[in-house]
Amino acid sequence: MENIDVTVLRALRDWRAAGRQALLVTVVRTWGSSPRPVGSIMALCENGAVVGSVSGGCIEDDLIARYARQGAADALPHSGAPGFAKYGITADEAHRFGLPCGGTLELLFEFDPDPASLAELVRALDSGRLMRRQVRLGDGQVTLTPADAPAELSLDDTQLTNTFGPEYRMLIIGAGQMSEYLATMAQFCGFAVTVCDPREEYRGGWSVPGVQLATDMPDDVVTAFKPDKRSCVIALTHDPKLDDLALLEALGSEAFYIGALGSRRNNAARRQRMIEHFGQTEDSLKPLRGPVGIFIGSKTPPEIAVSVMAEVLAVKNGVTLPRDLDVAHVKDQQGAAAGPPACV
């Protein structure tokens, strides 16, 4: 499941390439509580098809009625320069459109965006590039330029600037049961997922569709993966021969999240090994999270996967987590007295 912005832009590109009229809607300002953040986009086709969202659904219904249904009293145009609209200005409107109490948002409409420009943007995103899209408000002219880093949407009297990035990526070391839960959740959150496990007995039963399965040694896979600022690397095997070398490679990258499963004792031992045998320092190991996950009292593989995914999303979204609560397990996760650890 790809990044929602890419999904919206891809659908819009296809509609316009097929000669259909379509509308690109962007949330440009919000006041009070808002169901969707600034920068959110949706695409609306002349036949009423919608991809993406700007609210919980009520505003989408109104936009469909105004754009795709003939004879609407306040119909939206199908051509011309970009236009603006506000929703939720009064208490009655907030109630009508299902906005949170006091919530107001402003939308920018782009009518019939240029299909060639959309195709160029989608190609750049598919190739892993971060792109800046500037829209001239006077006539809707679009300029695309590569971007060095993600940036918040900006709007002035003459243009809108929004930055679009490729999919976030997750590399999971280990193809065990917990990896299946985590990979599934990551895909639903818009991550492209790669799972690496050189052990045939673990990857033979892999059953999550849409995940790239790698069989080389994890450190080689991390090198080939080339983690960037939209990537995370998570080691779940409990095997130092697999986890440690992969984590060492990840620590030399720009990955926004690097973590390893295990008890506090196991993670302390890992850090000590890395310092004594691999030239790491306390400072160089600061990006390494372990035990992974936020504390939710999780005990089972799916619950632990939820806690890990929650922490990944928190870090991705810039939420500061108290490290003393960054623990996915109630118990010291050494595994049961008999058999392998439950979280493998």
Side-chain angles (χ1 to χ4, degrees):
M1 183 172 293
E2 67 185 2
N3 179 295
I4 185 60
D5 287 347
V6 177
T7 302
V8 172
L9 295 168
R10 196 185 305 281
L12 184 62
R13 176 205 62 186
D14 292 344
W15 293 337
R16 294 293 295 127
R20 292 185 171 183
Q21 291 188 306
L23 178 68
L24 177 61
V25 185
T26 303
V27 179
V28 294
R29 292 190 183 97
T30 63
W31 296 266
S33 300
S34 174
R36 295 284 284 141
V38 168
S40 299
I41 61 173
M42 64 167 278
L44 173 58
C45 187
E46 61 184 347
N47 64 3
V50 173
V51 179
S53 69
V54 293
S55 76
C58 297
I59 290 178
E60 285 80 357
D61 290 343
D62 186 67
L63 293 175
I64 292 170
R66 295 176 62 191
Y67 184 77
R69 296 174 188 166
Q70 296 182 352
D74 54 352
L76 289 168
H78 281 225
S79 62
F84 292 90
K86 288 183 181 178
Y87 281 88
I89 297 174
T90 67
D92 288 342
E93 286 178 320
H95 177 74
R96 173 189 170 195
F97 295 116
L99 289 170
C101 180
T104 301
L105 54 84
E106 184 173 16
L107 307 175
L108 174 72
F109 301 137
E110 294 178 57
F111 306 101
D112 285 350
D114 175 50
S117 176
L118 289 169
E120 180 183 352
L121 177 57
V122 171
R123 279 195 302 270
L125 297 178
D126 284 343
S127 66
R129 285 181 284 165
L130 191 68
M131 298 295 292
R132 181 180 298 106
R133 183 175 185 267
Q134 295 176 309
V135 183
R136 197 161 60 195
L137 300 181
D139 57 8
Q141 180 69 38
V142 171
T143 301
L144 298 175
T145 55
D148 295 327
E152 299 293 329
L153 177 145
S154 65
L155 177 69
D156 58 30
D157 293 338
T158 61
Q159 71 179 14
L160 167 78
T161 302
N162 205 359
T163 302
F164 295 99
E167 294 175 296
Y168 277 85
R169 298 183 297 151
M170 177 181 290
L171 174 58
I172 301 173
I173 310 302
Q177 184 183 29
M178 182 185 160
S179 298
E180 293 189 358
Y181 292 115
L182 181 59
T184 300
M185 283 184 278
Q187 286 186 306
F188 276 106
C189 292
F191 285 72
V193 181
T194 298
V195 169
C196 167
D197 203 322
R199 305 168 300 177
E200 185 176 357
E201 62 272 23
Y202 280 87
R203 67 174 187 269
W206 184 259
S207 61
V208 181
V211 172
Q212 181 177 345
L213 197 59
T215 61
D216 292 335
M217 289 300 292
D219 53 325
D220 293 331
V221 173
V222 173
T223 300
F225 189 76
K226 297 180 180 178
D228 56 22
K229 294 178 181 178
R230 299 172 76 85
S231 304
C232 59
V233 179
I234 306 172
L236 302 180
T237 73
H238 280 296
D239 185 341
K241 297 188 301 296
L242 301 177
D243 288 350
D244 287 9
L245 294 178
L247 293 169
L248 286 168
E249 290 294 333
L251 286 167
S253 75
E254 294 184 319
F256 75 88
Y257 181 100
I258 303 167
L261 191 68
S263 66
R264 288 183 181 273
R265 184 167 54 188
N266 285 344
N267 277 280
R270 174 184 291 111
R271 289 173 177 272
Q272 192 62 33
R273 287 194 302 271
M274 290 183 170
I275 291 172
E276 290 181 359
H277 302 295
F278 296 102
Q280 296 295 307
T281 65
E282 291 293 346
D283 284 341
S284 70
L285 291 175
K286 283 183 179 178
L288 177 59
R289 292 177 173 267
V292 286
I294 61 175
F295 178 71
I296 57 172
S298 50
K299 300 179 182 179
T300 64
E303 289 180 352
I304 296 169
V306 168
S307 76
V308 175
M309 192 70 234
E311 184 179 55
V312 170
L313 293 175
V315 175
K316 166 185 170 289
N317 295 332
V319 176
T320 301
L321 294 172
R323 294 305 296 265
D324 59 337
L325 295 181
D326 288 356
V327 184
H329 327 291
V330 171
K331 297 179 179 179
D332 207 32
Q333 196 61 260
Q334 297 295 322
C343 52
V344 172

